[in-house]
């Protein structure tokens, strides 16, 4: 479906969705129609209806319903009501440069899907991969239940397996028995990168706010969701810093 809001550019599928009765809308479409309504109300400084009240009004008031229909792009979970029609058609990528402590220059280019291409010198770059505790915890649970005992919760297990024994002077002396028995079953997941650190920086990890970390306005409100290797560097997958607020306050708890 085209992203343009200009009806003259719509195709047959766009018009079909535009004319679809609200009784046939799915959860994503309802959420996005409401997102656009809510964004318009905020822009005009008007008070917004709660989601359920909005939904009832669309279903019962024809004139109101005619103002709030499915526009192109509203069938996608990543629909952004704050982009104008022109933004969708002529959206340009934004690039920031970062000079690290070693004098190396890195570029961060925002893509149309809000991912960021991070290019530069990654020689001797350090990658952090998450530790996987599944096998260790499964074995621990089997051993514990075989003794007719209750295993601890996995989060407690993850903490306990790294704990060291201390003497009376609070000096670390030795690993715990839990560590000795199960730590060898904990391993790193090489297929998932949660932190990238080139020599001299910047060190970027999952959930970091790119705009704040890099001092780059073009990347403001984008947080790291993960990394993918690309030619010359990494693609940083992102999510919006305030997405969780939009889910709670904007669409009234609707799960999409």
């Amino acid at each position: 479906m085209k992203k343009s809001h200009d009806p003259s550019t719509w195709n047959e599928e766009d018009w079909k969705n535009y004319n679809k009765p609200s009784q046939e809308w799915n959860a994503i479409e309802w959420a996005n129609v409401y997102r656009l309504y809510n964004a318009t109300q905020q822009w005009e400084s008007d008070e917004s209806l709660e989601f359920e009240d909005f939904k009832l009004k669309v279903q019962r008031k024809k004139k109101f319903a005619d103002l709030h229909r499915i526009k192109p792009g509203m069938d996608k979970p990543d629909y952004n009501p704050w982009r104008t029609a022109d933004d969708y058609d002529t959206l340009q990528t934004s690039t920031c440069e970062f000079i690290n402590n070693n004098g190396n220059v890195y570029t961060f280019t925002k893509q149309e899907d809000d991912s960021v291409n991070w290019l530069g010198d990654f020689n001797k770059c350090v990658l952090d991969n998450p530790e996987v505790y599944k096998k260790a915890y499964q074995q621990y649970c089997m051993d514990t239940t075989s003794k007719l005992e209750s295993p601890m919760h996995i989060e407690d297990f993850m903490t306990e397996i790294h704990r060291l024994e201390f003497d009376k002077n609070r000096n670390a002396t030795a690993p715990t028995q839990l560590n000795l028995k199960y730590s060898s079953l904990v391993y790193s997941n090489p297929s998932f990168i949660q932190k990238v650190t080139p020599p001299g920086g910047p060190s970027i990890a999952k959930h970091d706010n790119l705009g704040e970390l890099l001092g780059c306005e073009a990347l403001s409100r984008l947080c790291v969701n993960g990394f993918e290797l690309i030619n010359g560097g990494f693609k940083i997958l992102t999510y919006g810093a305030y997405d969780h607020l939009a889910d709670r306050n904007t669409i009234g708890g609707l799960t999409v």
Side-chain angles (χ1 to χ4, degrees), residues 54-70:
F54 170 82
K55 186 174 181 178
L56 286 174
K57 195 168 183 178
V58 168
Q59 293 171 333
R60 296 176 180 178
K61 303 290 185 180
K62 185 178 184 305
K63 288 185 177 180
F64 187 80
D66 288 341
L67 295 173
H68 304 287
R69 298 190 181 190
I70 298 175

Side-chain angles (χ1 to χ4, degrees), residues 15 28 40 54 57 75 93 99 103 196 204:
W15 283 108
I28 291 175
T40 302
F54 170 82
K57 195 168 183 178
D75 58 336
T93 58
I99 302 177
V196 178
I204 301 178

Side-chain angles (χ1 to χ4, degrees), residues 3-10 85 89:
K3 293 182 178 179
S4 173
H5 288 183
D6 180 2
S8 67
T9 67
W10 293 3
D89 291 333

Side-chain angles (χ1 to χ4, degrees), residues 2-106:
K2 296 179 182 178
K3 293 182 178 179
S4 173
H5 288 183
D6 180 2
S8 67
T9 67
W10 293 3
N11 59 28
E12 183 178 348
E13 187 66 21
D14 295 333
W15 283 108
K16 180 179 178 181
N17 281 280
Y18 178 78
N19 291 317
K20 184 164 63 172
S22 60
Q23 293 85 351
E24 299 177 11
W25 295 357
N26 60 36
I28 291 175
E29 291 165 339
W30 267 114
N32 287 332
V33 172
Y34 183 70
R35 282 192 176 105
L36 180 58
Y37 157 77
N38 197 60
T40 302
Q41 296 299 99
Q42 291 182 38
W43 180 260
E44 296 176 352
S45 300
D46 291 336
E47 186 175 348
S48 297
L49 295 169
E50 293 295 327
F51 175 74
E52 291 300 331
D53 294 332
F54 170 82
K55 186 174 181 178
L56 286 174
K57 195 168 183 178
V58 168
Q59 293 171 333
R60 296 176 180 178
K61 303 290 185 180
K62 185 178 184 305
K63 288 185 177 180
F64 187 80
D66 288 341
L67 295 173
H68 304 287
R69 298 190 181 190
I70 298 175
K71 307 294 194 306
M74 287 184 174
D75 58 336
K76 307 296 184 185
D78 61 351
Y79 173 75
N80 184 350
W82 291 103
R83 287 182 182 172
T84 65
D86 289 341
D87 287 337
Y88 274 114
D89 291 333
T90 63
L91 183 65
Q92 300 295 316
T93 58
S94 301
T95 299
C96 297
E97 287 190 349
F98 182 93
I99 302 177
N100 73 359
N101 295 332
N102 292 347
N104 294 324
V105 178
Y106 293 90

Side-chain angles (χ1 to χ4, degrees), residues 198-221:
S203 180
I204 301 178
K206 188 173 182 179
H207 302 310
D208 280 346
N209 185 306
L210 289 175
E212 294 178 359
L213 180 67
L214 302 172
C216 178
E217 181 65 26
L219 305 181
S220 65
R221 301 186 178 184

